[in-house]
Amino acid sequence: MRKAFGPLVMFGLIVVCASSAYSQDAREILARVSETYANLKTYDFIAEAHAVFEADGVEYRLTMPQELAQGDTPDERMGVLNKLPTFERLDGSDQPASPHSFVPPSALFYDFARIAQNLQYAKFLREETQEFNGKKAACYAVEILKIPDVNTPRAPAPVPQTLWIDESSFLVVRTVFHSTFPGLAAQPAHDARPARMALPKLKMDWDIAFTSYTLNETPPQWMVDMKKNYDQQVAALSAKMVGTSAHDFELQDLDGHEVTLASLHDKVVLLDFWATWCGPCRKELPVLASLEKTWAAKGLVVVRITNEPPEDVQAFLTRTHQTIPTLVNGENVSKQFSVGGIPTLVLLDKTGMIVAYDVDVLSEADLTTRLKKAGLER
């Protein structure tokens, strides 16, 4: 799912743990959970998230209604709607209980269809009754710990997570875990971007209960509206950008060499705005490599641009055994091309005119169609 659909913590698809790391019961239970969620066409879970934390010497409880849903189109595979939170002081004071306007993300792994993958360990704890969908439900309590996502530089380390799983439906009823929000420094005075308040480091104890659900019915309206609004925004941005001339820019590659757009005159240029932590971007890398190999003799140049520093990109390429020419520290160029979500592909013809602008993962066939708009033929 693209960036606009909210924070989600995503993990790889390769199971690298040894079977001895599991208890047999836990492995079987999690496999049933994965199978259950993978076979749901749509779902809509109503949840309530609670977090206890301390800020400025005062202990608070945060309560935040949530909704976790999956639609029936590729761009509605999953969405999380966080509603307005409330805060309660736990020191008995009648002082206002709103310590911060920003609520740190819970870092919960929501993709239950892949809950059994990439685990350091999983163990069965006990059987216990939980309230679920208006009834008492007999549940399995299972503790898991994910393997760190090596494809995401500086990602927070996974934390143990306890899940209560309905014994009859194998749906997740409740989850409890701890997380640490690293904090944010205040925006520097010379920075022209909108002001950002300083936020302290917070250790948070989360307890999220899924109180009710509907399965295999019409996706919730907020998800339909989210998809519609996103599509409209992308279409408007594409219409605005196509037909305009791209301004020159200068960036460094991984070796520190300067590269300018002007140096690629008389070439058809495909700008790929991507990031090492972006799953769809990584999926698109081999497609673009194949396209470049096929069309290079006709005058195509693929220019990959990331906002990340060179050390993060190089570490990713080393881990994944890839050689991908990339321009780094490209935040200003991203703004120049109005990049809001990634991957974004911007195709320029030989005059520097933008002929296609896509915020999406495209197939090689779709990209070939766009190359023809730029005047390339086999």
mmCIF file of all heavy atoms in Angstrom, residues 187-195 335:
data_model
loop_
_atom_site.group_PDB
_atom_site.id
_atom_site.type_symbol
_atom_site.label_atom_id
_atom_site.label_comp_id
_atom_site.label_asym_id
_atom_site.label_seq_id
_atom_site.Cartn_x
_atom_site.Cartn_y
_atom_site.Cartn_z
ATOM 1 N N GLN A 187 11.830 22.126 15.903
ATOM 2 C CA GLN A 187 12.280 22.569 14.579
ATOM 3 C C GLN A 187 13.313 23.689 14.726
ATOM 4 O O GLN A 187 13.088 24.653 15.474
ATOM 5 C CB GLN A 187 11.088 23.084 13.769
ATOM 6 C CG GLN A 187 11.346 23.162 12.289
ATOM 7 C CD GLN A 187 11.205 21.801 11.638
ATOM 8 O OE1 GLN A 187 11.051 20.794 12.304
ATOM 9 N NE2 GLN A 187 11.256 21.779 10.335
ATOM 10 N N PRO A 188 14.478 23.590 14.059
ATOM 11 C CA PRO A 188 15.471 24.671 14.143
ATOM 12 C C PRO A 188 14.893 25.992 13.639
ATOM 13 O O PRO A 188 14.042 26.017 12.746
ATOM 14 C CB PRO A 188 16.596 24.173 13.215
ATOM 15 C CG PRO A 188 16.418 22.692 13.150
ATOM 16 C CD PRO A 188 14.937 22.458 13.259
ATOM 17 N N ALA A 189 15.349 27.073 14.210
ATOM 18 C CA ALA A 189 14.807 28.396 13.880
ATOM 19 C C ALA A 189 15.009 28.752 12.412
ATOM 20 O O ALA A 189 14.179 29.436 11.804
ATOM 21 C CB ALA A 189 15.452 29.456 14.771
ATOM 22 N N HIS A 190 16.107 28.249 11.798
ATOM 23 C CA HIS A 190 16.395 28.609 10.407
ATOM 24 C C HIS A 190 15.649 27.737 9.401
ATOM 25 O O HIS A 190 15.713 27.981 8.204
ATOM 26 C CB HIS A 190 17.901 28.484 10.142
ATOM 27 C CG HIS A 190 18.410 27.071 10.283
ATOM 28 N ND1 HIS A 190 18.835 26.569 11.502
ATOM 29 C CD2 HIS A 190 18.536 26.062 9.387
ATOM 30 C CE1 HIS A 190 19.221 25.306 11.339
ATOM 31 N NE2 HIS A 190 19.043 24.970 10.079
ATOM 32 N N ASP A 191 14.929 26.716 9.882
ATOM 33 C CA ASP A 191 14.231 25.792 8.984
ATOM 34 C C ASP A 191 12.925 26.435 8.534
ATOM 35 O O ASP A 191 12.108 26.858 9.353
ATOM 36 C CB ASP A 191 13.945 24.471 9.705
ATOM 37 C CG ASP A 191 13.609 23.337 8.742
ATOM 38 O OD1 ASP A 191 12.833 23.581 7.794
ATOM 39 O OD2 ASP A 191 14.109 22.225 8.938
ATOM 40 N N ALA A 192 12.707 26.465 7.206
ATOM 41 C CA ALA A 192 11.531 27.151 6.655
ATOM 42 C C ALA A 192 10.269 26.300 6.705
ATOM 43 O O ALA A 192 9.175 26.794 6.447
ATOM 44 C CB ALA A 192 11.810 27.563 5.212
ATOM 45 N N ARG A 193 10.395 25.018 7.041
ATOM 46 C CA ARG A 193 9.215 24.146 7.080
ATOM 47 C C ARG A 193 8.342 24.495 8.291
ATOM 48 O O ARG A 193 8.780 25.196 9.196
ATOM 49 C CB ARG A 193 9.657 22.683 7.145
ATOM 50 C CG ARG A 193 10.287 22.185 5.855
ATOM 51 C CD ARG A 193 10.803 20.768 6.000
ATOM 52 N NE ARG A 193 11.898 20.705 6.962
ATOM 53 C CZ ARG A 193 12.543 19.573 7.287
ATOM 54 N NH1 ARG A 193 12.171 18.433 6.740
ATOM 55 N NH2 ARG A 193 13.540 19.595 8.149
ATOM 56 N N PRO A 194 7.082 24.011 8.313
ATOM 57 C CA PRO A 194 6.198 24.325 9.443
ATOM 58 C C PRO A 194 6.826 23.955 10.781
ATOM 59 O O PRO A 194 7.532 22.953 10.884
ATOM 60 C CB PRO A 194 4.952 23.468 9.148
ATOM 61 C CG PRO A 194 4.962 23.296 7.668
ATOM 62 C CD PRO A 194 6.411 23.222 7.277
ATOM 63 N N ALA A 195 6.578 24.757 11.791
ATOM 64 C CA ALA A 195 7.195 24.551 13.103
ATOM 65 C C ALA A 195 6.783 23.203 13.687
ATOM 66 O O ALA A 195 5.665 22.730 13.503
ATOM 67 C CB ALA A 195 6.791 25.675 14.044
ATOM 68 N N LYS A 335 10.779 17.778 -3.869
ATOM 69 C CA LYS A 335 9.853 18.905 -3.771
ATOM 70 C C LYS A 335 9.664 19.566 -5.140
ATOM 71 O O LYS A 335 8.556 19.978 -5.501
ATOM 72 C CB LYS A 335 10.383 19.919 -2.762
ATOM 73 C CG LYS A 335 10.386 19.438 -1.329
ATOM 74 C CD LYS A 335 10.975 20.495 -0.402
ATOM 75 C CE LYS A 335 11.018 20.015 1.031
ATOM 76 N NZ LYS A 335 11.649 21.004 1.943
#
